[in-house]
């Protein structure tokens, strides 16, 4: 039969073929077809013959053709056919589909839908037919029976796709089904249906099956719905990552979340590659991705940004056209995230409304961690982004050798965090990826070498961290060795940082050490002073870090880098002899520096002490060098005065005179080295006979210092040729030389005081010598102060850099104030009898702390050792605190009236500076610091005491002191002390946990002070109110507080309408006639600005979340009308804030404020509140689109603004404009001054036009909202008549006629008075315009 069919098919007519086929039953025909297909011989020819004999123009032929199609589909899906046979059959069927009538196309399509629903498809090969069927169906215009009614072809196609997407898809042919849709022409609605269906399938697949499905989805996205595709993929992996990290999962994602981390991240990496490849082919997809992520920034960023999307963005940077946009987006996201975090941390109001989300920085570091799973396409982007952050947000300016941040405190903190994040990204990437280590290192070192004018401390810190992590890897790095060649040209600070960083490498790499020494030796003879200083700094660092075997262990290492940190024993590479020879060679090189400029020698003297402590075996060589140097300037004759050759320390070159030998620093170095030798070496050498020569040297030095002490005390001013009649002016050579010599003498006196105290053992005679030395110091200090005169403070500041070590200052203060040992009493009474000496001791402590705050270090030994400085700070604080609390300022000052500050006040100032320094440099050690200040019990008891409890204990002491001050009369009120106390309280209050009862107690105490005590001291009031506000915002929103304060200000200053009598309120006694304006007024306006900033931030956030809901289509129309709005709580809070602020401004706008900053700031802030109200109304315009009305509270807020704010704003504008000309109480001079001030305000800031514009914008959007929500919101708004510019012709004619009559009647007298009035009219016109 099959042969017959084939032969009949060759005829020109099909009649016989049709008859033959009609004679066969459907089963027989199907059997014939099946046999042919299984044999695989000429199946295509046979199928063509059957189709030729089954024309669709006849009903029987169409039905036969339909049955053949069904049979072929079953055959293809059976899996019995060879691949090429199946493909041939499907290809033939595809060619003939368009001949089918509409009803049969619907039946065919329904068969496919049924097969998918019932899971009858085996391999999904036949699905290739479905797109052709749907496309053919869409072309049919006639009505077809589909589903429950008659639809045209396009509608039938839509319903079939809808049905297909609603049935369950079997896992094995999910990819074919998705791929199938790319050949169907889909409308946007159909596309959204398909995409939504495929996205829901992700959770049903195994991890390894997701990438191919994503690939098909991305191909499909070229037809539309790009944003939905990207959003769905990102949302799925965001949720999967979250559940995987939290080790919890819902039922749907349980299997996927349980997969190993490496498998999950490998799959994510593959999908990212697919997306980037798709974006390369379809740039619109990339634009949609960026648009989607940017839009998400406005709402909740964590809904868009996650480790997966960040990795995707970083991969996208490999496409040049998107590189800049991606980095800008990531930078903005990081900065916004840090700013939001700071805003949240600084406001209790925001914390209660907005939950704290994961910071973007955490997500980025998560990407770095995940990139170990073959994410090579992400690493390059990570490196670039890390450097972009460090370059953009690192310190921008150098001041006094210290990097300084520019901008507000909020932006400073944000910049620091962003820069630190950049460094962390690079460090972690360096640790994980070996391949890119060289690139990171090169880029860091390039920046260190090339950026000589901008601070690079952040790059040096990163470089140091990299070396600490991998010294053995970098020991042969040529890039580091190349960098040494540039040491000549780098600033000293950079050289020191760089050499400190490479110390671990120098310990394990001999070649690197040799290269460095070669460079340093060249630098020693360079013509540039900085190069020679760099050489000295480098050699000193080497001496400190290459320990000679046999040296004493140092418990006070100044360097944080030790041998153990590089996991290498130095002595296994270098013998002790080699190290010692190496160090002695360096000392020989350094000896040559003693003939160079003072700056070079100074560096040497400051470094020798640290070298000695680290390498005690070098003591003899170092001390011999110092001894030889001192002998050049020492007068050996015991009776010769003065004992030192001061003239030899100063040299003249041409017309310039400058210091050649810093003799005071040389003596200081000798004194400290001697003290160290006696304390550390001598106790260990008792009975040792091999050190006689060394002992002799030390005894000789002791004798010299003793002799210098005695002779310095005996010397008079005339002996130094520096009596009061001497010339000290800075304009003559003699004056400059005398200034330098006087400073040297003062330095020598300080060094000798410390030396004598260290050897005194509380001897009475030694203390008398110390006092005599201080008298000598004081004489020179007084002369310099007297001669310097006004505007010549330069030398005074030079003299103020004390040479006393911080450790000695700590011991001296303890002895003076806390030593109660009976045997010490008599000798200490000598020092205690001199109040000037006591003042001096406290002043030096103050200077040391100021130096620490200014430069991050202190002069003298251990000046760069943070641990030793911290210990000294604790000791000094303990003494100063005891002295201040034991002898209050009032008691001390009542006893005797002296010029300058009292000791108690100096102690308080010292405490304030120390607390500031501890918070700046030792934040992690605050607990230890507070513990050192008070002994509360045993160690076990102290271990359980929190920082809050310790800080609270200290706060109570200072609160008592402030209350005692406030209890005194107004004229006895010590403003300086009160301000210092408030600063101390403010610093300590930052240590309190805002949720603790101690914090609440502090807030209520501050509130009580503001309410009950009235002081006219403006500075005190400002400081107190600032403290009050800073505490209040961490407890709750300050809007009610602002309203109360505005009522007090209004009561104190009176109303703009002089006929209105204001009833005075007394919420806060601190608000009085003197402090109300401008002090308190500007403070409350500043706080109102912060509240408005928070409200603006919230409005932006809820706007963004509404956008996200709209875009993602999360809220269907039905759900949105019934569900509780997610932002309802935030909306209520915003309304409360704005309502209270309206009443606050209502009070201030009616207040007769003085001209100047108060009026200017108030006008600006009024514009801001109207802008915020406008933004809030715009939000409701947006919400109304989602078929949601506006709550009653919004109507009330609008009514409040219309009745309480807008009318009084216009009255205030008139008051401001008319104030200069309508103030009868003012004299002519005062009027002129006020007029000038007001004109300046109006001219420079133009706040009035801005305010009127803001009000009108508000009213404009109110009108729009009224139309949208069908509520008349404008009924409460009174439109201003002053803005009505309609010209009425009849009225104008009448006025002009009246003016003409008046002018004809005017006489000479009016002409004279016109000269006075005309300018005023001009000014008034100008203001009103």
């Amino acid at each position: 039969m099959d042969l017959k069919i084939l032969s009949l098919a060759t005829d020109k007519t099909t009649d016989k073929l049709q008859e033959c086929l009609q004679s066969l039953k459907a089963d027989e025909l199907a059997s014939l077809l099946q046999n042919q297909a299984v044999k695989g011989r000429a199946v295509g020819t046979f199928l063509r013959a059957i189709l030729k004999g089954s024309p669709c123009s006849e009903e029987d032929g169409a039905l036969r053709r339909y049955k053949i199609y069904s049979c072929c589909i079953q055959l293809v899906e059976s899996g019995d056919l060879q691949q090429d046979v199946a493909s041939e059959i499907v290809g033939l069927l595809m060619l003939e589909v368009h001949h089918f009538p509409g009803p049969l196309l619907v039946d065919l399509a329904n068969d496919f839908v049924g097969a998918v629903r019932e899971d009858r498809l085996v391999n999904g090969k036949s699905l290739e037919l479905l797109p052709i069927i749907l496309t053919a169906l869409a072309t049919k215009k006639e009505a077809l029976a589909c589903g429950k009614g008659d639809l045209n072809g396009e509608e039938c196609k839509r319903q079939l796709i809808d049905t297909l997407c609603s049935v369950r898809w079997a896992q094995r042919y999910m990819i074919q089904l998705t791929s199938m849709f790319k050949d169907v022409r889909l409308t946007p609605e159909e596309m959204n249906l398909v995409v939504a269906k495929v996205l829901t399938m992700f959770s049903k697949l195994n991890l390894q099956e997701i990438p191919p499905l994503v690939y098909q989805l991305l191909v499909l996205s070229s037809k539309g719905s790009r944003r939905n595709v990207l959003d769905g993929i990102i949302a799925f992996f965001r949720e999967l990552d979250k559940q995987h990290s939290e080790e919890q999962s819902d039922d749907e994602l349980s299997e996927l979340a349980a997969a190993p981390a490496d498998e999950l991240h490998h799959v994510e990496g593959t999908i990212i590659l697919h997306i980037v490849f798709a974006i390369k082919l379809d740039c619109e997809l990339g634009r949609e991705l960026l648009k989607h992520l940017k839009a998400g920034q406005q709402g909740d960023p964590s809904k868009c940004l996650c480790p997966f999307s960040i990795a995707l963005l970083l991969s996208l940077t490999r496409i040049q056209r998107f590189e800049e946009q991606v980095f800008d987006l990531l930078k903005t996201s990081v900065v916004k995230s840090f700013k939001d975090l700071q805003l949240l941390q600084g406001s209790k109001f925001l914390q209660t409304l907005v939950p704290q989300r994961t910071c973007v920085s955490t997500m980025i570091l998560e990407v770095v961690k995940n990139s170990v799973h073959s994410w090579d396409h992400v690493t390059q982007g990570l490196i670039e982004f890390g450097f972009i952050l460090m370059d953009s947000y690192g310190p921008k300016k150098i001041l006094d050798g210290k990097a300084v941040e520019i901008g507000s405190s909020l932006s400073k903190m944000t910049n620091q965090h962003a820069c630190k994040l950049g460094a962390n990204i690079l460090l972690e990437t360096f640790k994980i990826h070996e391949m890119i280590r060289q690139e990171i290192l090169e880029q860091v070192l390039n920046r260190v070498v090339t950026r000589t004018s901008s601070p690079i401390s952040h790059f040096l810190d990163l470089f140091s961290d990299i070396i600490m992590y991998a010294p053995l890897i970098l020991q042969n790095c040529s890039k580091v060795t190349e960098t040494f060649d540039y040491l000549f040209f780098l600033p000293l600070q950079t050289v020191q940082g760089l050499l400190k960083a490479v110390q671990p490498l120098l310990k394990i790499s001999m070649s690197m050490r040799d290269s460095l020494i070669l460079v340093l030796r060249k630098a020693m003879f360079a013509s540039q002073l900085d190069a020679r200083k760099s050489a000295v700094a480098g050699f000193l660092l080497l001496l400190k870090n290459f320990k000679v075997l046999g040296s004493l262990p140092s418990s006070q290492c100044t360097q944080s880098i030790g041998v153990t940190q590089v996991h290498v024993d130095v002595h296994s590479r270098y013998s002790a002899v080699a190290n010692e020879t190496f160090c002695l060679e360096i000392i020989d090189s350094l000896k040559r520096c003693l003939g160079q400029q003072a700056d070079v020698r100074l560096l040497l003297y400051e470094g020798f002490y640290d070298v000695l402590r680290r390498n005690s075996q070098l003591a003899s060589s170092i001390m011999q060098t110092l001894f030889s140097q001192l002998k050049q300037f020492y007068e050996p004759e015991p009776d010769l005065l003065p004992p030192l050759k001061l003239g030899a320390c100063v040299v003249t070159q041409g017309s310039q005179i400058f210091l050649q030998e810093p003799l005071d620093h040389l003596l200081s170095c000798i004194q400290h080295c001697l003290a160290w030798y006696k304390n550390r070496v001598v106790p260990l050498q008792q009975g040792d006979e091999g050190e006689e020569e060394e002992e002799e040297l030390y005894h000789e030095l002791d004798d010299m210092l003793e002799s210098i002490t005695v002779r310095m005390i005996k010397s008079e001013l005339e002996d130094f040729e520096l009596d009061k009649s001497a010339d000290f002016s800075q304009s003559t050579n003699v004056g400059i030389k005398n200034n330098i010599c006087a400073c040297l003498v003062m330095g020598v006196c300080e060094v000798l005081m410390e030396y004598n105290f260290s050897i005194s053992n509380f001897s009475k005679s030694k203390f008398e010598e110390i006092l005599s030395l201080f008298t000598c110091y004081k004489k020179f200090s007084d002369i310099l102060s007297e001669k310097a005169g006004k505007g010549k403070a330069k030398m005074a500041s030079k003299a103020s850099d004390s040479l006393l070590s911080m450790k000695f200052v700590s011991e001296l203060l303890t002895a003076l104030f806390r030593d109660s040992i009976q045997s010490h009493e008599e000798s200490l009474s000598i020092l205690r009898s001199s109040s000037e000496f006591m003042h001096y001791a406290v002043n030096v402590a103050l200077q040391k702390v100021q130096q620490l705050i200014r430069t991050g270090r202190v002069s003298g030994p251990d000046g760069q050792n943070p641990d030793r400085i911290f210990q000294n700070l604790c000791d000094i604080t303990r003494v100063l605190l005891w002295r201040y609390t034991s002898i209050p300022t009032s008691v001390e000052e009542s006893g005797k009236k002296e010029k300058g500050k009292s000791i108690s006040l100096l102690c308080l100032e010292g405490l304030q500076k120390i607390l500031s320094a501890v918070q700046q440099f030792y934040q992690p050690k605050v607990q230890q610091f507070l513990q050192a200040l008070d002994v509360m019990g045993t160690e076990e008891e102290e271990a359980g005491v929190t920082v809050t409890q310790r800080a609270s204990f200290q706060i109570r002491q200072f609160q008592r002191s402030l209350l005692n001050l406030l209890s005194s009369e107004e004229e006895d009120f010590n403003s300086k002390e009160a301000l210092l106390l408030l600063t101390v309280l403010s610093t300590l209050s930052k240590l309190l946990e805002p949720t603790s009862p101690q914090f609440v107690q502090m807030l209520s105490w501050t509130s009580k002070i503001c309410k009950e005590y009235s002081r006219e001291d403006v500075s005190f009031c400002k400081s107190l109110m600032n403290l009050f506000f800073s505490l209040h915002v961490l407890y709750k929103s300050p809007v009610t507080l602002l309203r109360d304060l505005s009522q007090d200000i209004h009561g104190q200053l009176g109303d703009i309408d002089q006929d209105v009598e204001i009833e005075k309120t007394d919420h806060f006694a601190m608000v009085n006639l003197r402090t109300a304006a401008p002090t308190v007024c500007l403070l409350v306006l500043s706080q109102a600005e912060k509240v408005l900033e928070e409200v603006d931030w919230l409005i932006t956030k809820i706007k963004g979340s509404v956008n996200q809901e709209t875009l993602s289509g999360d809220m269907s129309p039905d759900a949105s009308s019934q569900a509780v709005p997610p932002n309802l709580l935030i909306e209520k809070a915003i309304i409360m804030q704005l309502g209270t602020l309206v009443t606050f401004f209502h009070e201030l706008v009616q207040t007769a404020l003085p001209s100047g900053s108060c009026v200017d700031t108030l006008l600006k802030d009024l514009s801001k509140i109207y802008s915020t109200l406008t933004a809030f109304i715009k939000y409701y315009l947006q919400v109304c689109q989602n078929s949601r009305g506006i709550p009653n509270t919004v109507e009330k807020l609008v009514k409040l603004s219309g009745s309480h704010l807008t009318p009084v704003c216009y009255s205030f504008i008139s008051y401001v404009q008319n104030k200069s000309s309508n103030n009868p109480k003012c004299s002519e001079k005062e009027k002129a001054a006020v007029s000038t001030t007001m004109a300046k305000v109006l001219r420079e800031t133009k706040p009035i036009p801005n305010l009127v514009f803001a009000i009108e914008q508000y009213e404009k959007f109110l009108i729009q909202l009224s139309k949208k929500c069908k509520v008349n919101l404008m009924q409460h708004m009174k439109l201003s008549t002053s803005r009505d510019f309609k010209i009425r012709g009849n009225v104008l004619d009448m006025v002009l006629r009246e003016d003409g009559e008046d002018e004809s009647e005017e006489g000479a007298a009016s002409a004279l008075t016109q000269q006075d009035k005309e300018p005023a009219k001009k000014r008034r016109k100008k203001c009103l315009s």
Side-chain angles (χ1 to χ4, degrees), residues 60-219:
D60 289 345
L63 281 170
R64 191 183 312 120
R65 185 175 282 225
Y66 168 69
K67 287 173 183 174
I68 290 297
Y69 264 72
S70 299
C71 176
C72 286
I73 288 167
Q74 288 172 11
L75 274 173
V76 168
E77 285 299 325
S78 67
D80 298 335
L81 306 185
Q82 294 175 10
Q83 188 70 32
D84 55 337
V85 173
S87 298
E88 187 180 5
I89 291 172
V90 170
L92 281 170
L93 296 179
M94 286 165 75
L95 290 172
E96 299 290 330
V97 165
H98 65 280
H99 296 302
F100 265 112
L104 290 179
L105 281 174
V106 172
D107 290 345
L108 269 177
N110 278 324
D111 287 349
F112 271 105
V113 173
V116 171
R117 181 192 292 115
E118 294 162 19
D119 194 10
R120 284 189 272 114
L121 298 176
V122 178
N123 54 24
K125 176 73 177 172
S126 63
L127 284 173
E128 293 173 22
L129 265 177
L130 187 54
I132 313 297
I133 294 168
L134 291 173
T135 305
L137 184 59
T139 60
K140 306 296 180 185
K141 304 297 180 189
E142 71 270 21
L144 303 168
C146 186
K148 294 181 180 178
D150 291 342
L151 308 170
N152 63 29
E154 187 65 43
E155 290 167 343
C156 278
K157 183 193 80 171
R158 166 68 197 268
Q159 188 166 340
L160 284 164
I161 289 173
D162 198 351
T163 310
L164 186 59
C165 290
S166 63
V167 302
R168 183 182 172 279
W169 293 1
Q171 190 173 325
R172 62 182 178 279
Y173 47 78
M174 213 171 275
I175 291 165
Q176 288 102 314
L177 273 169
T178 308
S179 173
M180 174 269 294
F181 280 108
K182 73 175 182 285
D183 298 321
V184 182
R185 193 174 64 198
L186 300 170
T187 63
E189 293 80 10
E190 291 166 354
M191 187 69 196
N192 288 340
L193 269 173
V194 173
V195 168
K197 174 65 179 177
V198 176
L199 290 171
T200 57
M201 292 293 102
F202 281 4
S203 56
K204 309 287 192 298
L205 296 173
N206 297 325
L207 267 179
Q208 299 300 335
E209 293 172 327
I210 295 176
L213 184 60
V214 168
Y215 176 78
Q216 294 300 333
L217 196 54
L218 289 167
V219 172

Side-chain angles (χ1 to χ4, degrees), residues 1006-1217:
T1006 313
S1007 174
K1008 185 181 176 186
I1009 297 290
C1010 293
K1011 287 177 178 176
E1012 296 180 6
Y1013 290 90
S1014 179
R1015 282 286 181 274
E1016 292 192 350
D1017 189 295
V1018 170
S1019 302
F1020 174 71
C1021 174
K1022 184 177 180 181
S1023 190
L1024 179 64
M1025 295 303 288
N1026 271 326
L1027 171 62
F1028 187 25
F1029 280 124
S1030 67
L1031 293 169
H1032 204 284
V1033 292
L1034 294 173
Y1035 183 65
K1036 64 177 181 180
S1037 177
V1039 281
T1040 50
L1041 192 64
L1042 294 176
R1043 185 187 60 205
D1044 293 347
L1045 282 164
S1046 66
Q1047 289 170 0
D1048 288 352
I1049 294 169
H1050 193 182
Q1052 289 293 338
L1053 299 178
D1055 200 88
I1056 53 175
D1057 185 350
Q1058 294 177 356
D1059 299 331
V1060 176
E1061 189 177 339
I1062 303 297
E1063 183 184 340
K1064 287 190 178 183
T1065 56
D1066 56 351
H1067 296 113
F1068 293 93
M1070 197 50 72
V1071 181
N1072 51 50
L1073 200 55
R1074 180 81 188 277
T1075 60
T1079 309
V1080 178
C1081 179
L1082 289 175
L1083 275 173
V1084 292
L1085 285 170
S1086 167
Q1087 286 299 319
E1089 282 178 33
K1090 288 177 183 172
V1091 174
L1092 284 171
E1093 187 188 341
E1094 290 175 2
V1095 171
D1096 278 334
W1097 185 79
L1098 283 173
I1099 292 171
T1100 308
K1101 199 163 190 62
I1102 57 176
K1103 266 186 183 176
S1105 66
V1106 169
N1107 283 337
Q1108 280 178 341
E1109 286 164 11
T1110 308
L1111 290 169
S1112 60
D1114 286 343
M1115 289 180 69
S1116 63
D1118 299 332
S1120 64
S1121 59
Q1122 297 167 4
V1124 177
N1127 297 321
L1128 196 60
L1129 273 177
I1130 297 179
E1131 287 172 22
K1132 282 182 179 176
I1134 290 172
I1135 292 165
M1136 285 295 295
Q1137 295 292 90
L1138 289 175
T1140 316
L1141 279 180
V1142 166
T1143 58
F1144 159 75
F1145 281 113
H1146 168 74
E1147 291 289 342
L1148 279 190
V1149 165
Q1150 295 179 88
T1151 306
L1153 293 171
S1155 308
S1157 55
C1158 287
V1159 171
D1160 188 19
T1161 311
L1162 178 55
L1163 287 168
K1164 285 180 183 173
D1165 288 352
L1166 283 167
S1167 299
K1168 282 181 184 173
I1169 191 172
Y1170 275 109
S1171 300
T1172 305
L1173 284 165
T1174 306
F1176 197 43
I1177 294 303
K1178 283 182 181 176
Y1179 163 73
Y1180 276 105
L1181 276 169
Q1182 194 178 347
V1183 166
C1184 279
Q1185 291 175 352
N1186 296 349
S1187 69
R1188 209 186 112 197
I1190 60 167
N1192 293 334
T1193 45
V1194 175
E1195 288 184 53
K1196 288 178 184 175
L1197 176 63
V1198 172
K1199 182 179 179 181
L1200 189 67
S1201 66
S1203 60
H1204 276 62
L1205 195 55
T1206 307
V1208 286
C1209 277
Y1210 285 116
S1211 304
F1212 186 68
I1213 290 170
S1214 304
Y1215 163 76
V1216 171
Q1217 291 177 323

